[in-house]
Each structure stands twice: as C-alpha cells, then as structure tokens.
Amino acid sequence: MSRLYLDANASEPLRPEARTAAAAALDVAGNPSSVHAEGRAARRLLEEARESVAALAGLAPAAVVFTSGGTEANATALAGCAAEGRRVLAGATEHDSVLRAIPAAERIPVDRDGVIDLAALATALADPRPAAVAVMLANNETGTLQPIAEVAALCRRAAARLHVDAVQAPGRLPLGDLGALGADTVALSAHKAGGPKGAGALLLASGWWPGPLLRGGGQERGMRAGTEPLPAIAGFAAALAAAEAWRAAGGAARLRALRDAILAGLAVRVPHAVPIAMGASRLANTLCLALPGVAAATQVMALDLAGIAVSAGSACSSGKVAESHVLRAMGLGPLAGSAIRVSLPWTAPEEAPRRFLDAYAAMAARLVRPVEPAPA
Ligand code: PLP
C-alpha cells in the first residue's frame, strides 16, 4: 500500500510547476550580480521571480526581498524592530523562529482556540514605549487564523510596527490580500507552498525596511547579502503562482471537504478523540487532534507504521517530539501532550479520510485503555 502523506504544514509536496522552473534555473550559469550576458540572464530570471511574487501579493517588485526561508524572514523583520529600540510583543502561539528571534519578546496570551487576546494586546500597547507586534496569519499546528485586521488597527493606533508570519497561507488563503493586511512586513517560505526548500521572502508591505540581517555583497539592493539561490527562488515563484491558482480553482475547498470527512468519521468511530481549536476559523487543510492518554509521539509512530505521515507539535530539527508550546499556551493541559497534527497536502487523494480513519481507529482501539468501571 502506498504511503499517505498528511504533513503538508511541515512541507508541501513539490508542485510540478516549481520543479520545471527550478530545473530550468539550475542550467543558468551566471551569477545575478555579474554584469556579463550570463549574469544578466540570471538577473532577468531573478527579477521575473520577484515581479511574479510581488504581483501575487499585490505589491511592487521592490517590496520583495528574497531570503533562505520563513525563519530568516521572521528573524530579519524582528531584528529590525529590536534595532529601532522597540519592545517586541509576540502572540504566545507564534512559530519558534519568531519567539526565539527575540527571546525577550513579551508573549500575548491566546484563548483556548489559539486566537490572540486582543484586549491583552491593547493593554500591552497602551505602554507608551515604542512597540513592534508579531502575529501570524495562520498557526502551523492548529490552523487557527488570527484576526489580523483588528491587530493591525491596534498597531496603527499605537504607532507600533506589525510583522505577520504568513508562511502557512499559500494555497490556503488568498495571496492577493497579503499586501493589504496592514502589516509592515510579511514572511513567506517556498517549501510550504510546494516549492523547493531553501527560499522564502520578506515582503515590505508598508515600505519600511528593517535592515539587513546578513551583511556582505550588495545583493537584494543591500537588504540581504549572499548570492541568490536562483533555482530555489524560481521554484518558489512558480510554486506560489501555482498554489494560488489551485486555491482559486477550488483546491483548498476540496481539502476542507476531506478534512471535514475525517472529523465526521471521528465523531462516530473514535468519539473520545478531541479535535482542537474547533471554535476558531482555521486553515482548510489542518486538523489538530488529541487522543487523551496516548503520547503524541506514540501516535505518530503508530500511524507511520501504518503508512501515514502526520506530526506531533511542530517538526523540530532534532527529530525529538517536545510538548507543543502552542497547545500549552492554549491552556489545553495534559491534552497538549497527546495531540497530533493532520495537515492535508495539495496532493491528498480522495481516499485519505477513509485510510486515516481506519488507521486512527485501529490505533485508538489498541492504545487507549478502557476505563475500568468503578467498584460497586
Ligand atoms: N513560520 C511558520 C508558521 C512555520 O510553520 C514555519 C515552518 O515550520 C516557519 C515559520 C519557518 O519556515 P522555514 O522552514 O522556511 O524556515
């Protein structure tokens, strides 16, 4: 039986358009910074990618700075905020690349569905010292969408900068809205959109430039040193365009139907499983699911043995599964240690719900000990 990959929020499978664009760019010998014909050909490819990403986000090409991925885009924006002497306020469920970029960041609490507490943010912003706020568009573990328009309004009123991590948006939310979120900066990552790993972008949506994280050559007009990884960038631009076209043509709606079929099946077959963040608007492809009493790592391994790839918390480089800071911040208590993330990729087959439900129900029957009736 073929494998069933349900870990799109860790990495989307490569889109064919991205493969074609990246492969073509591999054969471009020139360095985009060189002035000869080969260099100019490479530069042309780079600027075409920039124009494409900018147009998709509703921004001018000059607003796109290519990076190595979402982590670097987040780090660049937040380092710039800190360099301006601003206090950094970050949602408690932000990705580690945000929370660890500025360890002193003040964490703004979220509710049980992972939605940021706007009153707490407003209180934190009432402090007259200049501030910067980092709030993600969609959470990678739960899929919870944040009320960015409200966050942006609060930031505007307090003259605070706003950075939005939109890494999980492509293919799921309209990209044309990114430039109009009301953010100063927005982070994107190629491999979350079905592009190659190793590229991303920081979108300068308000014209503010946070300053370079990496210094050296004058690439990216001095905003990010280092020879641009042309194959990854060309693949990134092609993936974003393909992801947006796929979403607009009903791709995300199809994934929502598959995801909801899993939810409906669970209610019947494993009623003691607990879906997380059900009260929030969520990404169409994402389901966070706790099986009380069974460690998340055990579930991931059991499903892996059954041919299904899911994850526990966010994938971390060491391969270890630590309890999720996201679910802890949501006040889920012990459930936080028993939750897995099911995230359907753009390639998800129609039989994904049935195969997942069969494997999950079998696992639950094996691993969940029946509750002994209390002695009479
Ligand atoms: N932000 C979010 C919400 C993510 O899910 C991830 C990856 O897991 C990142 C940032 C980091 O992106 P990258 O892997 O491109 O560095």
Side-chain angles (χ1 to χ4, degrees):
M1 170 99 65
S2 62
R3 297 272 308 169
L4 179 60
Y5 182 74
L6 301 180
D7 203 11
N9 291 12
S11 249
E12 280 280 7
L14 193 67
R15 290 181 182 269
E17 297 87 344
R19 181 192 305 275
T20 303
L26 281 169
D27 286 325
V28 176
N31 184 319
S33 296
S34 300
V35 293
H36 45 59
E38 289 82 355
R40 292 198 305 276
R43 163 69 54 187
R44 223 167 10 254
L45 214 54
L46 179 66
E47 295 312 323
E48 279 169 15
R50 193 185 315 282
E51 282 162 22
S52 172
V53 172
L56 284 167
L59 291 165
V64 177
V65 178
F66 287 116
T67 66
S68 62
T71 298
E72 186 190 327
N74 283 335
T76 303
L78 293 171
C81 293
E84 288 188 328
R86 294 175 182 270
R87 316 176 285 139
V88 176
L89 315 175
T93 57
E94 293 300 298
H95 190 261
D96 268 337
S97 59
V98 165
L99 295 176
R100 294 191 176 185
I102 309 288
E106 219 174 292
R107 298 198 188 189
I108 306 300
V110 297
D111 68 14
R112 247 185 116 73
D113 289 316
V115 179
I116 193 155
D117 181 339
L118 289 169
L121 178 61
T123 303
L125 285 172
D127 183 318
R129 288 174 297 158
V133 174
V135 175
M136 67 207 318
L137 196 50
N139 186 269
N140 47 304
E141 293 185 35
T142 60
T144 294
L145 305 184
Q146 297 295 356
I148 297 295
E150 284 90 334
V151 170
L154 289 174
C155 289
R156 234 179 350 261
R157 221 167 296 144
R161 296 223 180 276
L162 173 60
H163 172 67
V164 173
D165 175 343
V167 159
Q168 294 290 344
R172 297 143 189 193
L173 300 170
L175 293 184
D177 295 347
L178 292 182
L181 286 173
D184 287 289
T185 47
V186 178
L188 288 173
S189 168
H191 72 106
K192 310 285 188 183
K197 294 163 180 74
L202 184 64
L203 305 181
L204 311 178
S206 71
W208 174 66
W209 160 235
L213 195 63
L214 300 177
R215 294 165 205 278
Q219 292 92 347
E220 297 297 278
R221 290 175 294 124
M223 297 194 269
R224 197 276 185 181
T227 299
E228 295 90 345
L230 209 48
I233 288 173
F236 173 33
L240 271 191
E244 179 61 8
W246 174 88
R247 185 202 61 76
R254 175 178 167 269
L255 294 191
R256 183 184 300 280
L258 295 180
R259 193 266 318 265
D260 291 348
I262 294 178
L263 267 171
L266 279 169
V268 176
R269 296 180 62 177
V270 194
H272 49 287
V274 184
I276 308 289
M278 288 297 107
S281 299
R282 285 168 297 123
L283 290 175
N285 75 319
T286 306
L287 172 61
C288 182
L289 188 63
L291 188 59
V294 183
T298 307
Q299 297 178 50
V300 171
M301 282 186 282
L303 290 169
D304 190 32
L305 288 173
I308 300 178
V310 299
S311 72
S314 48
C316 77
S317 55
S318 64
K320 281 187 301 209
V321 179
E323 193 177 287
S324 153
H325 73 275
V326 172
L327 304 180
R328 218 179 316 123
M330 290 163 63
L332 296 180
L335 278 188
S338 65
I340 59 166
R341 173 185 70 191
V342 180
S343 52
L344 294 148
W346 66 273
T347 50
E350 283 306 301
E351 71 269 18
R354 181 189 53 75
R355 283 186 60 188
F356 175 79
L357 284 165
D358 286 351
Y360 190 84
M363 172 186 77
R366 217 171 44 247
L367 297 178
V368 178
R369 272 192 234 106
V371 179
E372 297 286 331

